[in-house]
């Protein structure tokens, strides 16, 4: 007979971590939008890339962040989230270097 698994607060911590990820992605996108207003073509390109990354990340992370439905645990989904986050981190670095 197997003992019942008690997940404790782990599901809540996981949801909170995904929400923090979405918040950070949103902040980077807003700052990229600010650069897009004053940065010419490069700023507009970074803003467009940030908005695309934001949309993809929010779409993929939403089921995990709110705990509704069954999140897709496939390697492709997690790889896509990782690439979006890495791209937005790179945009964040560019924003810091540009002084936004």
């Amino acid at each position: 007979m197997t003992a019942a698994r008690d997940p404790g607060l782990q599901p809540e911590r996981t949801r909170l971590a995904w929400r923090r990820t979405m918040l950070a992605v949103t902040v980077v996108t807003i700052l990229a939008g600010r650069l897009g207003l004053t940065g010419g073509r490069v700023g507009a390109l970074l803003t467009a890339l940030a908005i695309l990354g934001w949309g993809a990340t929010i779409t993929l992370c939403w089921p995990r962040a709110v705990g509704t439905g069954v999140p897709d645990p496939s390697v492709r989904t997690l790889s896509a989230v990782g690439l979006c986050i890495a791209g937005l981190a790179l945009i964040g670095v560019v924003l810091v270097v540009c002084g936004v």
Side-chain angles (χ1 to χ4, degrees), residues 6-19:
D6 180 19
L9 294 176
Q10 184 269 330
E12 183 179 0
R13 287 192 308 266
T14 301
R15 282 193 303 273
L16 290 172
W18 283 106
R19 287 179 184 176

Side-chain angles (χ1 to χ4, degrees), residues 14-74:
T14 301
R15 282 193 303 273
L16 290 172
W18 283 106
R19 287 179 184 176
R20 283 190 305 270
T21 299
M22 291 191 319
L23 177 63
V25 167
T26 302
V27 168
V28 169
T29 303
I30 289 169
L31 291 175
R34 181 176 168 200
L35 177 66
L37 294 174
T38 61
R41 288 185 181 189
V42 173
L45 177 63
L46 284 177
T47 300
L49 290 174
I51 290 172
L52 286 173
W54 176 80
T57 303
I58 295 297
T59 301
L60 295 171
C61 293
W62 188 256
R64 296 174 188 273
V66 296
T68 60
V70 178
D72 182 14
S74 71

Side-chain angles (χ1 to χ4, degrees), residues 56-57 60 74-86:
T57 303
L60 295 171
S74 71
V75 173
R76 292 176 67 186
T77 300
L78 295 177
S79 298
V81 170
L83 287 173
C84 288
I85 299 298

